[in-house]
Amino acid sequence: MPEFVSINVGLDNPIPICPIPGHSWKRVISNPDATWLCHFKDERTEKSSGKYVFLAAESRIKGENDRKKYEKQEN
């Protein structure tokens, strides 16, 4: 359910519309340092630790973030 999903969007990006009428996202944040797009946890179960959805390793944005991270490490 969307109420279990937190999404991470860019500051200048529109918030995606929840696809299920009458429901809304649990939380919407803009954290440019995070590499995850969304996090969800089934709150109906006690043992669920949650799952993250990340960019594909070959995506342009992921590559740029990795490059910046390694440039910082070298300095």
Side-chain angles (χ1 to χ4, degrees):
M1 296 302 293
E3 289 81 9
F4 301 152
V5 179
S6 297
I7 58 174
N8 184 19
V9 298
L11 289 172
D12 298 329
N13 296 93
I15 297 170
I17 296 171
C18 180
I20 303 174
H23 293 269
S24 62
W25 305 117
K26 176 179 180 177
R27 186 171 61 142
V28 177
I29 67 164
S30 293
N31 182 350
D33 295 326
T35 58
W36 57 271
L37 300 175
C38 73
H39 172 262
F40 58 95
K41 179 178 178 183
D42 187 348
E43 296 178 3
R44 297 172 296 180
T45 63
E46 292 179 25
K47 296 183 180 182
S48 176
S49 61
K51 305 275 186 203
Y52 286 91
V53 175
F54 294 92
L55 293 168
E58 62 274 359
S59 73
R60 178 186 55 82
I61 295 171
K62 176 78 168 122
E64 289 173 5
N65 285 343
D66 287 347
R67 181 182 48 79
K68 289 176 187 176
K69 178 175 65 176
Y70 291 117
E71 285 176 356
K72 284 182 184 179
Q73 186 70 24
E74 289 178 357
N75 294 329

